[in-house]
């Protein structure tokens, strides 16, 4: 059983595939010839990629020896040449041999990407202001498609809104210059605002008191509560953890810590990290 989305183009089916089917799917047209060595290396690669997108793409092969008319119509000069056709129009392409990763990157602009569905759902939740539920979906979208910049910005937004400011800053610092658009500026501002909120006089006061009275566990719990309210869940958990390490049954530290962990979004790495830390203390 051959691949169903690979066709050889002739004058007879040219119209149907290149003009009509490209209305619904991306058509990757591969111009090749039997005497062309690089063509023989490229073809299996294109067939393999096409095999991964049976519903979204067609690989249309044009044997330039047999179909000189078609090759001339496209103005093909060198072999191999690959053209991407959408809605009856060439939208992209390349000539000569290319690496598989380069070809995939080129196709990614025109094909549905893994994680698109999760991203869509996350976006709907964010619009309702439900960052908690959007978080695991955004994280999944990033895991499925690490290069998808939309997924990355969505994930960073969820990190900020659920209080993982330090992590959001780390993620932002890894965004390449070319991807730093208006969203990047907006996330940077959000981080700044969250940090300013964390610089409130009450919080500063408590931080000083904790520094001066390192053995006062109740002060540390109070500070942790303030930190969590200032969207600094990572620092709050770290602080409560030090309290529990000192005295596992002090005040309501254990309950507060478990509540704080449960309040984190599913998929937040902090959640599993601190869950492990607490369980190792308890058992």
């Amino acid at each position: 059983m051959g691949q169903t989305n690979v066709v050889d183009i002739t004058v007879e089916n040219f119209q149907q595939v290149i003009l009509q089917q490209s209305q619904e799917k991306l058509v990757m047209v591969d111009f090749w010839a039997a005497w062309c060595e690089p063509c023989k290396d490229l073809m299996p690669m294109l067939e393999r990629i096409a095999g991964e997108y049976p519903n979204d793409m067609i690989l249309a092969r044009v044997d330039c020896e047999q179909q000189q008319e078609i090759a001339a119509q496209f103005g093909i000069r060198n072999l191999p040449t690959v053209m991407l056709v959408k809605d009856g129009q060439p939208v992209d392409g390349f000539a000569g041999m290319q690496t598989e990763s380069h070809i995939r990157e080129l196709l990614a602009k025109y094909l549905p990407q893994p994680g698109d569905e999760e991203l869509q759902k996350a976006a709907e939740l964010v619009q309702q202001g439900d960052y908690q539920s959007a978080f695991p979906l955004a994280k999944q979208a990033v895991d499925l498609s690490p290069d998808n910049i939309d997924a990355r910005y969505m994930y960073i937004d969820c990190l900020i809104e659920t209080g993982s400011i330090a992590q959001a800053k780390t993620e932002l610092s890894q965004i390449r210059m070319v991807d730093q658009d208006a969203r990047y500026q907006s996330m940077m501002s959000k981080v700044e605002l969250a940090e300013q909120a964390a610089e409130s006089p009450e919080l500063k006061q408590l931080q000083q008191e904790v520094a001066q009275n390192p053995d006062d566990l109740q002060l540390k719990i109070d500070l942790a509560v303030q930190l969590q309210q200032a969207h600094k869940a990572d620092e709050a958990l770290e602080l409560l953890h030090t309290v529990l390490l000192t005295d596992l049954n002090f005040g309501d530290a254990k309950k507060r810590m478990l509540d704080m962990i449960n309040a984190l979004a599913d998929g937040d790495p902090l959640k599993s990290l601190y869950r492990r830390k607490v369980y190792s203390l308890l058992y």
Side-chain angles (χ1 to χ4, degrees):
M1 155 87 195
Q3 264 176 266
T4 48
N5 62 333
V6 178
V7 287
D8 291 303
I9 295 295
T10 60
V11 174
E12 288 73 42
N13 67 2
F14 173 86
Q15 191 89 14
Q16 191 216 340
V17 176
I18 307 281
L19 298 177
Q20 284 158 11
Q21 290 189 306
S22 73
Q23 304 292 333
E24 277 121 57
K25 300 180 178 190
L26 180 69
V27 178
M28 177 162 60
V29 191
D30 176 26
F31 297 91
W32 68 284
W35 49 261
C36 155
E37 282 308 316
C39 294
K40 292 174 190 164
D41 296 330
L42 187 63
M43 182 95 66
M45 201 192 294
L46 299 181
E47 285 171 358
R48 185 165 65 245
I49 295 172
E52 293 171 25
Y53 294 97
N55 306 317
D56 303 299
M57 158 179 187
I58 294 169
L59 172 59
R61 300 180 294 205
V62 179
D63 179 344
C64 295
E65 299 263 84
Q66 309 294 321
Q67 310 295 336
Q68 292 180 358
E69 215 178 304
I70 296 172
Q73 206 173 332
F74 276 95
I76 301 304
R77 306 253 178 288
N78 310 312
L79 295 184
T81 290
V82 171
M83 266 185 199
L84 301 182
V85 178
K86 214 166 165 56
D87 300 324
Q89 298 293 326
V91 287
D92 219 326
F94 60 87
M97 193 58 191
Q98 294 288 346
T99 62
E100 183 163 343
S101 60
H102 178 264
I103 297 171
R104 285 181 183 278
E105 207 171 301
L106 189 70
L107 289 169
K109 297 182 228 167
Y110 307 101
L111 287 170
Q113 290 305 295
D116 277 357
E117 209 176 314
E118 287 79 359
L119 196 56
Q120 183 85 41
K121 286 186 199 148
E124 286 164 19
L125 289 162
V126 161
Q127 266 176 326
Q128 298 158 20
D130 185 356
Y131 286 91
Q132 204 76 16
S133 309
F135 191 109
L137 291 162
K139 172 93 170 69
Q140 228 176 325
V142 170
D143 291 342
L144 287 167
S145 191
D147 297 332
N148 183 340
I149 193 65
D150 298 334
R152 201 157 282 282
Y153 276 126
M154 179 75 71
Y155 175 52
I156 292 172
D157 200 11
C158 289
L159 280 171
I160 297 170
E161 293 289 340
T162 55
S164 299
I165 305 298
Q167 210 183 330
K169 282 176 82 167
T170 306
E171 290 284 337
L172 278 168
S173 69
Q174 290 164 0
I175 287 184
R176 302 178 307 176
M177 281 292 288
V178 293
D179 293 326
Q180 292 179 11
D181 53 21
R183 290 173 297 184
Y184 177 81
Q185 302 310 327
S186 132
M187 299 293 146
M188 290 298 269
S189 309
K190 268 190 167 189
V191 163
E192 221 165 289
L193 283 171
E195 288 188 322
Q196 279 163 10
E199 297 301 309
S200 72
E202 299 80 22
L203 196 60
K204 281 197 155 148
Q205 176 75 29
L206 264 175
Q207 280 170 325
Q208 276 169 347
E209 287 176 23
V210 167
Q212 285 154 6
N213 309 287
D215 300 330
D216 188 332
L217 299 184
Q218 187 54 51
L219 269 178
K220 286 186 178 172
I221 296 177
D222 297 343
L223 176 55
V225 172
Q226 288 278 329
L227 283 165
Q228 189 196 20
Q229 286 167 354
H231 289 316
K232 290 208 155 186
D234 33 13
E235 291 181 34
L237 285 162
E238 186 50 50
L239 205 53
L240 285 176
H241 186 237
T242 60
V243 172
L244 294 182
L245 282 172
T246 315
D247 179 354
L248 188 54
N249 298 308
F250 183 83
D252 59 352
K254 197 189 317 174
K255 181 185 181 310
R256 283 210 182 262
M257 180 141 188
L258 289 168
D259 287 348
M260 223 176 261
I261 292 170
N262 290 331
L264 290 169
D266 293 328
D268 189 329
L270 280 179
K271 194 165 193 165
S272 45
L273 172 70
Y274 279 101
R275 213 169 242 170
R276 281 199 305 273
K277 287 188 174 189
V278 169
Y279 287 145
S280 67
L281 287 173
L282 297 180
Y283 307 109

